[in-house]
Amino acid sequence: MGYDLKMRIWRGDQSGGDLQDYTVEVSEGEVVLDAIHRLQATQSGDLAVRWNCKAGKCGSCSAEINGRPRLLCMTRLSDFDQTETITVTPMRAFPVIRDLVTDVSFNYEKARELPSFQPQPRDADGKRRMMQVDVERGQEFRKCIECFLCQDTCHVVRDHEDNKPAFAGPRFFLRYAELDMHPLDTHDRRALAQDAAGLGMCNITKCCTEVCPEGIRITDNAIIPMKERVVDRKFDPLVWLGSKIGVRNRDNDGRTDPRDPD
Amino acid sequence: MATEERTGVRGATRAEIEARTLREDRWWLSPLVTFVVFGAFVIYATVRAFMGRDYYASPYLSPFYSPCLGDCVEGASDFGQPFKAWPLSAALIILIFPLGFRMTCYYYRKAYYRAFWLSPPACAVAEPHSAYSGETRFPLILQNLHRWFWYAALVIACVLTFDVVLAFRNAEHEWGHMGLGTVLMLVNVVYIWLYTLSCHSCRHAVGGRLRHFSKHPVRYRLWTWVSGLNANHARYAWISLFSVALVDLYIWLLAMGVIEDVRFF
Ligand code: SF4
Ligand code: SF4
Ligand code: FES
Ligand code: FES
């Protein structure tokens, strides 16, 4: 049973653009991306949209639907009233390229700034060993599909373009947390997370968590633990006192921060 | 407005859309409720803390005044009166601890940044501020002291637990009695403990800070347990706010003689 769906879609590029009205035939059980594909096929062949898997796994089809950052392929039409007009715009935190396609290279730059995994030497038999409980926390973060919806929603950069150079964003705080909790890593990134990645800019208002299509509890399980780890290092008088009187700081736990003089 | 800044979602490179948000749901409801309820609590607590009277109705002591270290009414000071010379309400001596604890709490921060500072008012709703530095500068960098308030909160929770024990007396301080006030205080202290133990700093301290759970099985169990509580931290934050206010209100009304305590035995 099909019905006519009213849509408003943002069309344009960096020189300007606006929301344009469309009516497209859809059927129940379809997703927003299906409607957009039918529009492309039947009415406006030049409508630009990025997608790949249509299964919520590639993270390409990120956009904003009725003002909320979501995956086009995972948003069911049955979530809306049949008479409702569905508004689709590109992600509003990134530079637009054309129509629904944005330039997400900000995120790739941030990924490059993050020092990669630096494991300890292998055991004598050439293997590396770790226990399941020690890597379990990081496994939640590995579910990330890099849709960058969290980066798009985060008000630190969405509302303040000037913060972009100094702020890595929630997706990369996941990575910092994953490595910081990793049993074999040797690179202490706590200072880096605080200074270069701008962890202190996050005011834990949890929008990244609200929009993550993988349901990763970004704020509770990655950002806040990372903030606490930074506190261990920087704002904990006991740790400071310990370091003055020469007590070994067990949080360093075989790690070094190449940025530290000692 | 010609002078309006073209930044954020209205910046030059972004898709040209005038609206601050295209959200059509009632995104403003949750910050509004938070604003009204927190606002009401702050006003109530301020009034009560400055009153300096009607905080003790034997054997019940209001949580706002516990421990009562100033020049308190007879029977209220179970830990002596080291600040007897303090000229103002005794609540103000200890208030900094619960207040600081809640003000720096990760959940309350989220709630008041959204509801009071509109930073952001809701997700994907542009905030009204033109500059933003998060928690990197004074005074907000002090939010990092949360765990110190958490240590203090553990002590306060113990004191409030002791108050509940004392509430199993009658007005003449004879043991083995119980009234509605005892029940309210008991419920309150349970939620205070749940709130305090579900704290993110607690989760970190008991085990979250470790990098090798496998080497610390006991702390790993504790961490798992606190993580479970932590998932409900926001709920405990709200309930304990109400329960504290309710206990105080009950004792206030008792002390003024407006109501009579319901005694069970
Ligand atoms: S919790 Fe922090 S990182 Fe996540 S959206 Fe909010 S400010 Fe950004
Ligand atoms: S953390 Fe979630 S929202 Fe962010 S990029 Fe990964 S999957 Fe997308
Ligand atoms: S198309 Fe791959 S996530 Fe939507
Ligand atoms: S009390 Fe809320 S996070 Fe510590």
Side-chain angles (χ1 to χ4, degrees), chain B residues 117-168:
Chain B
W117 193 239
L118 307 179
S119 177
C123 302
V125 178
E127 59 178 308
H129 313 282
S130 59
Y132 173 88
S133 60
E135 300 183 333
T136 56
R137 296 201 200 132
F138 184 83
L140 292 183
I141 197 163
L142 296 181
Q143 306 280 30
N144 287 307
L145 298 180
H146 182 57
R147 76 170 57 162
W148 295 98
F149 286 112
W150 178 67
Y151 295 142
L154 287 176
V155 176
I156 298 270
C158 290
V159 171
L160 294 183
T161 310
F162 184 59
D163 288 341
V164 175
V165 173
L166 295 182
F168 283 92

Side-chain angles (χ1 to χ4, degrees), chain A residues 10 92 134 136-137 155 158 161 180 182 185 200-201 203 205 207 227-229 232 236-237 251, chain B residues 13-14 16 19 106 114 119 123 127 132 135 147-148 201 203-204 208-214 220:
Chain A
W10 194 87
R92 293 180 70 185
D134 294 340
E136 192 162 79
R137 278 180 292 182
H155 69 118
R158 183 183 176 93
E161 184 74 27
D180 208 77
H182 199 290
D185 191 51
M201 300 266 244
N203 67 354
T205 36
C207 289
K227 285 200 177 225
E228 286 290 315
R229 281 160 186 254
D232 283 341
D236 195 323
D251 287 329
Chain B
T13 60
R14 317 274 183 101
E16 184 186 353
Y106 287 98
R114 283 196 188 196
S119 177
C123 302
E127 59 178 308
Y132 173 88
E135 300 183 333
R147 76 170 57 162
W148 295 98
S201 292
R203 188 184 184 210
H204 179 75
R209 65 189 299 162
L210 299 172
R211 297 178 63 230
H212 298 87
F213 280 150
S214 55
Y220 176 58

